Amino acid sequence: MQPTGHPTAPTAQPDCIDHTNPDGSVWSDSYGTQYTCAWYALEDNCEEWGHTSMKNGLNANMACCVCGGGDDGSTTTTPTVKPTPFPTPEPTTAQPTPFPTPVTGFNFGSGCRDGDGSFTRDLPERYQMEELGIIPAGKFDVKIQLEADGDLDITLFDVGDTSKFPEGKAIVAWCSAEQVEAGFNCGLLQQAWKEKAKYKDMKITYSGFHGDGLNLGNEYIRIKGETSTDLMMKVFAYEVGEAKVTYSWAHSRTDCCRGVPDACGGTFTATLDEDQILRIGEIPVGKGDLRVSLDSDVDIDIQLYDMDDTSTWAEGQAIAGYCQGEPCNYGPLTTSGYNVIDYHDRTYVYSGYDGVDGQQGNEFIEIEGITNRNLMMTFYGYKAGTATVTYSYTEPSGDSAAVKSALG
């Protein structure tokens, strides 16, 4: 649905300068970077679309001289725009976050589990696009429902395909007949009522821009099967208001998540200087039958810390970790030879810091069952060298309720 019938926009003034984005780049509307003031200068685009598609607080009738906007020199200030796409630079001792951290948005988590969530998104401007977030590749049977009192339209873009449009190829996006003819980024799904399409092995269902039949602001997307590419979902607001977003996804059906032997894991190399502690990575709750082994020609030790217990040590209570002196974060699993302990109802097995068959630098750690603590693994280099690291694990089958039951 696109409003029409607005008066023809004024022609550009001789001394007028088009407004730019806050970072100095060329302004374009919220539909994409190709829709600049130069595009609006063609035919009757100002008249038809100049009042729509605001970006950074400006539509074409405000930003473009040819549409009657721009800066004619009568003021020395630039209109305040919102939202600012980048934080205002300030001197700081910490590295600034390159983009503002969103207050709300999708959180599809990681791993194999199913899940759901909800959030609200303010729609402060008419005819403006608001991002809802990324639906990542590798999620199964995604369902997203939007509810609002006013009229809104869902849009969905394949951000993995920017060959023609920088915002990604449109999968769901309404276009008028004129926009289709003009080469706009129009969606495969864009009708008033429910329709389906297959795209990159995904079966996608869209409610249609007339919503669920009860309210124009109640729209939904269903994606059957695995998301094969990252998708950006946005909402275009025809009326000011608020949208409630509810979403869910199913347990992953990849080989790893279905429990196929040896399907989860990998191999990499780690290089250490002498006396260096190298952070290898976090081991989250919910991984099954984990084994990590290292193979090196020099003496390198595995260290393992419980990040859920920082009551005494900031790095977490050591499970495997050698040290001397007092106080000392010495792990109960730490011995020169093979050792097995029970720690928080899980069995931990360690080769010992003298290595397998007495070969220092050849070590392993195993955790039987499903991990129930958030862990950090590091390596300590008694000598400089390189280690080959091999790891494997299983993902618990079933849904989140089953996993929670297994975790106790």
Side-chain angles (χ1 to χ4, degrees):
M1 296 164 46
Q2 187 75 33
T4 58
H6 288 256
T8 302
T11 57
Q13 299 300 313
D15 297 326
C16 183
I17 300 174
D18 293 334
H19 285 301
T20 61
N21 291 318
D23 63 358
S25 61
V26 174
W27 179 89
S28 60
D29 71 23
S30 60
Y31 264 97
T33 56
Q34 68 271 39
Y35 304 119
T36 63
C37 293
W39 181 86
Y40 275 95
L42 302 174
E43 299 178 350
D44 58 353
N45 289 340
C46 283
E47 177 182 356
E48 291 293 326
W49 317 112
H51 62 289
T52 70
S53 308
M54 295 184 73
K55 180 180 177 182
N56 295 331
L58 303 172
N59 57 30
N61 286 349
M62 301 162 66
C64 303
C65 298
V66 70
C67 297
D71 186 356
D72 61 5
S74 61
T75 177
T76 58
T77 61
T78 302
T80 300
V81 296
K82 59 179 182 179
T84 304
F86 297 91
T88 302
E90 294 286 349
T92 176
T93 56
Q95 184 67 29
T97 304
F99 294 93
T101 302
V103 176
T104 57
F106 294 128
N107 180 5
F108 284 92
S110 60
C112 299
R113 302 182 199 176
D114 62 317
D116 55 53
S118 64
F119 60 93
T120 58
R121 174 69 79 239
D122 288 333
L123 307 173
E125 305 269 1
R126 296 184 68 194
Y127 314 130
Q128 181 158 322
M129 195 85 75
E130 294 285 341
E131 290 187 359
L132 299 181
I134 290 287
I135 305 167
K139 297 301 174 182
F140 282 77
D141 298 341
V142 174
K143 300 177 181 180
I144 302 175
Q145 174 79 45
L146 270 68
E147 297 179 2
D149 293 333
D151 188 10
L152 58 78
D153 278 0
I154 286 174
T155 60
L156 188 69
F157 300 91
D158 175 2
V159 295
D161 182 359
T162 57
S163 57
K164 189 173 181 181
F165 300 99
E167 68 271 22
K169 179 179 174 59
I171 302 171
V172 177
W174 180 85
C175 282
S176 67
E178 293 83 0
Q179 288 174 318
V180 172
E181 185 177 351
F184 272 57
N185 192 11
C186 303
L188 300 175
L189 301 171
Q190 55 166 304
Q191 300 303 313
W193 305 109
K194 178 180 176 181
E195 59 176 336
K196 301 179 181 180
K198 189 172 183 179
Y199 179 80
K200 291 188 175 180
D201 297 323
M202 298 177 285
K203 295 179 180 179
I204 303 175
T205 302
Y206 171 46
S207 62
F209 59 74
H210 276 175
D212 59 5
L214 302 175
N215 192 322
L216 293 175
N218 294 351
E219 296 192 10
Y220 64 82
I221 291 282
R222 305 283 187 267
I223 303 174
K224 185 68 174 176
E226 182 179 7
T227 52
S228 55
T229 185
D230 287 350
L231 304 170
M232 169 60 78
M233 178 171 280
K234 303 180 183 181
V235 58
F236 186 85
Y238 288 95
E239 299 177 43
V240 173
E242 183 180 82
K244 180 181 179 181
V245 184
T246 305
Y247 62 102
S248 65
W249 68 98
H251 188 274
S252 178
R253 297 190 287 275
T254 63
D255 285 350
C256 174
C257 296
R258 290 189 297 112
V260 175
D262 302 321
C264 305
T267 300
F268 61 93
T269 59
T271 301
L272 289 82
D273 295 328
E274 186 173 346
D275 292 329
Q276 179 186 0
I277 297 175
L278 179 64
R279 176 173 169 154
I280 298 301
E282 296 181 12
I283 302 169
V285 169
K287 303 302 177 183
D289 299 327
L290 176 76
R291 177 184 171 93
V292 180
S293 61
L294 67 84
D295 183 0
S296 177
D297 293 333
V298 301
D299 189 6
I300 295 175
D301 279 2
I302 293 176
Q303 299 176 323
L304 189 66
Y305 296 91
D306 179 0
M307 296 193 299
D308 290 337
D309 182 1
T310 57
S311 57
T312 304
W313 307 99
E315 68 271 23
Q317 171 62 48
I319 301 171
Y322 179 85
C323 60
Q324 293 179 319
E326 295 291 341
C328 178
N329 191 8
Y330 195 98
L333 190 60
T334 310
T335 56
S336 60
Y338 184 87
N339 192 19
V340 180
I341 67 167
D342 183 79
Y343 183 83
H344 285 278
D345 298 323
R346 294 295 182 268
T347 299
Y348 287 69
V349 182
Y350 178 42
S351 61
Y353 55 73
D354 275 346
V356 177
D357 297 327
Q359 299 180 41
Q360 292 183 339
N362 293 346
E363 298 187 11
F364 71 83
I365 278 183
E366 294 177 347
I367 305 173
E368 297 179 4
I370 301 174
T371 55
N372 60 354
R373 310 287 288 182
N374 289 294
L375 307 171
M376 171 60 68
M377 180 167 284
T378 64
F379 290 169
Y380 179 78
Y382 283 93
K383 293 185 179 180
T386 299
T388 299
V389 185
T390 304
Y391 64 101
S392 64
Y393 59 96
T394 62
E395 289 283 359
S397 60
D399 59 17
S400 293
V403 173
K404 289 177 181 177
S405 176
L407 290 172

